[in-house]
Short mmCIF file of all heavy atoms in Angstrom, two decimals:
data_model
loop_
_atom_site.label_atom_id
_atom_site.label_comp_id
_atom_site.label_asym_id
_atom_site.label_seq_id
_atom_site.Cartn_x
_atom_site.Cartn_y
_atom_site.Cartn_z
N VAL A 15 4.67 -25.74 1.32
CA VAL A 15 5.05 -24.50 2.05
C VAL A 15 3.91 -24.16 2.95
O VAL A 15 2.73 -24.45 2.60
CB VAL A 15 5.48 -23.32 1.14
CG1 VAL A 15 6.79 -23.58 0.50
CG2 VAL A 15 4.37 -22.98 0.18
N LEU A 16 4.20 -23.38 4.04
CA LEU A 16 3.17 -22.88 4.87
C LEU A 16 2.74 -21.48 4.47
O LEU A 16 3.58 -20.67 4.10
CB LEU A 16 3.77 -22.83 6.32
CG LEU A 16 2.74 -22.71 7.48
CD1 LEU A 16 1.96 -24.03 7.60
CD2 LEU A 16 3.45 -22.44 8.77
N LEU A 17 1.45 -21.24 4.56
CA LEU A 17 0.90 -19.90 4.19
C LEU A 17 0.37 -19.29 5.45
O LEU A 17 -0.25 -19.99 6.32
CB LEU A 17 -0.26 -20.02 3.17
CG LEU A 17 0.04 -20.69 1.86
CD1 LEU A 17 -1.21 -20.71 1.00
CD2 LEU A 17 1.15 -19.99 1.12
N GLU A 18 0.58 -17.98 5.63
CA GLU A 18 0.04 -17.27 6.86
C GLU A 18 -0.97 -16.25 6.48
O GLU A 18 -0.90 -15.69 5.38
CB GLU A 18 1.15 -16.65 7.65
CG GLU A 18 1.89 -15.55 6.93
CD GLU A 18 2.94 -14.87 7.91
OE1 GLU A 18 2.83 -15.05 9.13
OE2 GLU A 18 3.77 -14.17 7.36
N PRO A 19 -2.02 -16.04 7.26
CA PRO A 19 -2.99 -15.03 6.95
C PRO A 19 -2.43 -13.60 7.11
O PRO A 19 -1.77 -13.35 8.10
CB PRO A 19 -4.06 -15.30 7.91
CG PRO A 19 -3.46 -15.99 9.11
CD PRO A 19 -2.32 -16.77 8.50
N ILE A 20 -2.75 -12.76 6.11
CA ILE A 20 -2.33 -11.32 6.18
C ILE A 20 -3.56 -10.47 6.32
O ILE A 20 -4.58 -10.69 5.67
CB ILE A 20 -1.53 -10.96 4.92
CG1 ILE A 20 -0.39 -11.87 4.66
CG2 ILE A 20 -1.10 -9.49 4.93
CD1 ILE A 20 0.69 -11.80 5.67
N GLY A 21 -3.55 -9.46 7.17
CA GLY A 21 -4.66 -8.61 7.38
C GLY A 21 -4.32 -7.18 6.93
O GLY A 21 -3.20 -6.77 6.81
N HIS A 22 -5.45 -6.43 6.63
CA HIS A 22 -5.31 -5.02 6.28
C HIS A 22 -5.52 -4.21 7.44
O HIS A 22 -6.57 -4.24 8.08
CB HIS A 22 -6.33 -4.70 5.18
CG HIS A 22 -6.19 -3.34 4.62
ND1 HIS A 22 -7.27 -2.54 4.20
CD2 HIS A 22 -5.08 -2.50 4.47
CE1 HIS A 22 -6.83 -1.39 3.79
NE2 HIS A 22 -5.53 -1.34 3.99
N LEU A 23 -4.58 -3.35 7.80
CA LEU A 23 -4.60 -2.51 9.04
C LEU A 23 -4.88 -1.03 8.63
O LEU A 23 -4.16 -0.49 7.76
CB LEU A 23 -3.36 -2.62 9.80
CG LEU A 23 -3.06 -1.69 11.00
CD1 LEU A 23 -4.06 -2.00 12.17
CD2 LEU A 23 -1.66 -1.71 11.49
N LYS A 24 -5.85 -0.41 9.30
CA LYS A 24 -5.99 1.08 9.18
C LYS A 24 -5.98 1.59 10.61
O LYS A 24 -6.82 1.36 11.45
CB LYS A 24 -7.36 1.44 8.54
CG LYS A 24 -7.35 1.21 7.03
CD LYS A 24 -8.67 1.70 6.41
CE LYS A 24 -8.63 3.13 6.01
NZ LYS A 24 -7.77 3.39 4.85
N ALA A 25 -4.83 2.23 10.95
CA ALA A 25 -4.61 2.75 12.30
C ALA A 25 -4.62 4.28 12.30
O ALA A 25 -3.86 4.92 11.55
CB ALA A 25 -3.29 2.24 12.85
N THR A 26 -5.42 4.90 13.05
CA THR A 26 -5.53 6.39 13.20
C THR A 26 -4.98 6.79 14.52
O THR A 26 -5.45 6.43 15.58
CB THR A 26 -6.96 6.85 13.10
OG1 THR A 26 -7.50 6.44 11.80
CG2 THR A 26 -7.01 8.38 13.14
N VAL A 27 -3.81 7.45 14.46
CA VAL A 27 -3.03 7.75 15.69
C VAL A 27 -2.64 9.25 15.66
O VAL A 27 -2.49 9.84 14.61
CB VAL A 27 -1.78 6.86 15.84
CG1 VAL A 27 -2.22 5.37 16.00
CG2 VAL A 27 -0.80 7.05 14.74
N PRO A 28 -2.37 9.84 16.87
CA PRO A 28 -1.87 11.25 16.84
C PRO A 28 -0.51 11.35 16.14
O PRO A 28 0.25 10.42 16.11
CB PRO A 28 -1.70 11.51 18.38
CG PRO A 28 -2.56 10.58 19.02
CD PRO A 28 -2.55 9.31 18.21
N ASP A 29 -0.31 12.55 15.61
CA ASP A 29 0.95 12.77 14.90
C ASP A 29 2.18 12.47 15.73
O ASP A 29 3.16 11.93 15.22
CB ASP A 29 1.08 14.24 14.46
CG ASP A 29 0.09 14.60 13.32
OD1 ASP A 29 -0.25 13.66 12.61
OD2 ASP A 29 -0.26 15.77 13.17
N THR A 30 2.03 12.77 17.02
CA THR A 30 3.20 12.50 17.93
C THR A 30 3.58 11.01 18.12
O THR A 30 4.64 10.68 18.54
CB THR A 30 2.87 13.08 19.34
OG1 THR A 30 1.62 12.59 19.79
CG2 THR A 30 2.85 14.62 19.29
N SER A 31 2.59 10.15 17.76
CA SER A 31 2.81 8.70 17.97
C SER A 31 3.11 8.01 16.68
O SER A 31 3.39 6.80 16.61
CB SER A 31 1.61 8.07 18.58
OG SER A 31 1.21 8.69 19.76
N MET A 32 3.18 8.73 15.54
CA MET A 32 3.37 8.12 14.19
C MET A 32 4.54 7.34 14.11
O MET A 32 4.55 6.12 13.67
CB MET A 32 3.39 9.24 13.15
CG MET A 32 2.07 9.71 12.69
SD MET A 32 1.32 8.51 11.54
CE MET A 32 2.40 8.71 10.13
N GLY A 33 5.76 7.91 14.55
CA GLY A 33 7.02 7.16 14.45
C GLY A 33 7.02 5.83 15.19
O GLY A 33 7.40 4.78 14.61
N ASP A 34 6.48 5.83 16.40
CA ASP A 34 6.50 4.65 17.26
C ASP A 34 5.56 3.60 16.58
O ASP A 34 5.95 2.38 16.58
CB ASP A 34 5.89 4.99 18.61
CG ASP A 34 6.85 5.75 19.49
OD1 ASP A 34 8.18 5.66 19.25
OD2 ASP A 34 6.47 6.50 20.36
N ILE A 35 4.40 3.97 16.11
CA ILE A 35 3.48 2.98 15.54
C ILE A 35 4.04 2.39 14.19
O ILE A 35 3.98 1.19 13.96
CB ILE A 35 2.09 3.60 15.23
CG1 ILE A 35 1.44 4.12 16.57
CG2 ILE A 35 1.17 2.69 14.53
CD1 ILE A 35 1.13 3.00 17.55
N MET A 36 4.62 3.23 13.37
CA MET A 36 5.20 2.72 12.12
C MET A 36 6.36 1.79 12.36
O MET A 36 6.53 0.71 11.76
CB MET A 36 5.65 3.91 11.19
CG MET A 36 4.41 4.59 10.63
SD MET A 36 4.83 6.01 9.57
CE MET A 36 5.61 5.23 8.21
N GLY A 37 7.20 2.21 13.38
CA GLY A 37 8.29 1.22 13.74
C GLY A 37 7.81 -0.02 14.25
O GLY A 37 8.36 -1.14 13.95
N GLU A 38 6.66 0.01 15.05
CA GLU A 38 6.13 -1.24 15.56
C GLU A 38 5.54 -2.08 14.47
O GLU A 38 5.68 -3.38 14.44
CB GLU A 38 5.05 -0.92 16.54
CG GLU A 38 4.47 -2.15 17.40
CD GLU A 38 5.46 -2.76 18.26
OE1 GLU A 38 6.52 -2.14 18.60
OE2 GLU A 38 5.32 -3.95 18.68
N ILE A 39 4.87 -1.52 13.44
CA ILE A 39 4.31 -2.25 12.31
C ILE A 39 5.47 -2.94 11.56
O ILE A 39 5.38 -4.10 11.25
CB ILE A 39 3.62 -1.26 11.32
CG1 ILE A 39 2.28 -0.83 12.02
CG2 ILE A 39 3.29 -1.97 10.03
CD1 ILE A 39 1.54 0.23 11.25
N ASN A 40 6.61 -2.28 11.39
CA ASN A 40 7.73 -2.88 10.70
C ASN A 40 8.32 -4.02 11.55
O ASN A 40 8.72 -5.13 11.06
CB ASN A 40 8.86 -1.88 10.45
CG ASN A 40 8.48 -0.85 9.34
OD1 ASN A 40 7.74 -1.21 8.44
ND2 ASN A 40 8.89 0.38 9.51
N LYS A 41 8.36 -3.82 12.85
CA LYS A 41 8.89 -4.84 13.79
C LYS A 41 8.01 -6.09 13.77
O LYS A 41 8.42 -7.20 13.95
CB LYS A 41 8.93 -4.30 15.23
CG LYS A 41 9.80 -5.03 16.18
CD LYS A 41 9.68 -4.52 17.58
CE LYS A 41 10.22 -3.12 17.70
NZ LYS A 41 10.13 -2.55 19.08
N ARG A 42 6.71 -5.90 13.45
CA ARG A 42 5.79 -7.03 13.39
C ARG A 42 5.64 -7.58 11.94
O ARG A 42 4.57 -8.17 11.59
CB ARG A 42 4.42 -6.60 13.92
CG ARG A 42 4.39 -6.23 15.37
CD ARG A 42 3.02 -5.56 15.82
NE ARG A 42 3.12 -5.16 17.17
CZ ARG A 42 2.56 -5.80 18.21
NH1 ARG A 42 1.84 -6.92 17.94
NH2 ARG A 42 2.64 -5.35 19.45
N ARG A 43 6.68 -7.38 11.17
CA ARG A 43 6.74 -7.88 9.76
C ARG A 43 5.69 -7.30 8.83
O ARG A 43 5.28 -7.87 7.88
CB ARG A 43 6.67 -9.40 9.73
CG ARG A 43 7.74 -10.13 10.53
CD ARG A 43 7.80 -11.62 10.26
NE ARG A 43 6.65 -12.29 10.87
CZ ARG A 43 5.69 -13.00 10.24
NH1 ARG A 43 5.79 -13.03 8.90
NH2 ARG A 43 4.77 -13.58 10.84
N GLY A 44 5.16 -6.05 9.20
CA GLY A 44 4.14 -5.44 8.37
C GLY A 44 4.82 -4.65 7.25
O GLY A 44 6.00 -4.30 7.25
#
């Protein structure tokens, strides 16, 4: 099987952007 590297992300963003950033993380298989 193929293994892919996983990274640890710490993103600090304004409250108003929280929904967009979390949605993007999910979209990127996070």
Side-chain angles (χ1 to χ4, degrees):
V15 291
L16 197 69
L17 303 180
E18 64 176 346
I20 304 295
H22 184 214
L23 172 69
K24 285 184 89 73
T26 302
V27 299
D29 288 339
T30 52
S31 306
M32 276 283 291
D34 290 332
I35 298 297
M36 289 179 69
E38 188 67 18
I39 289 171
N40 290 328
K41 201 185 295 181
R42 292 170 187 257
R43 301 191 286 119

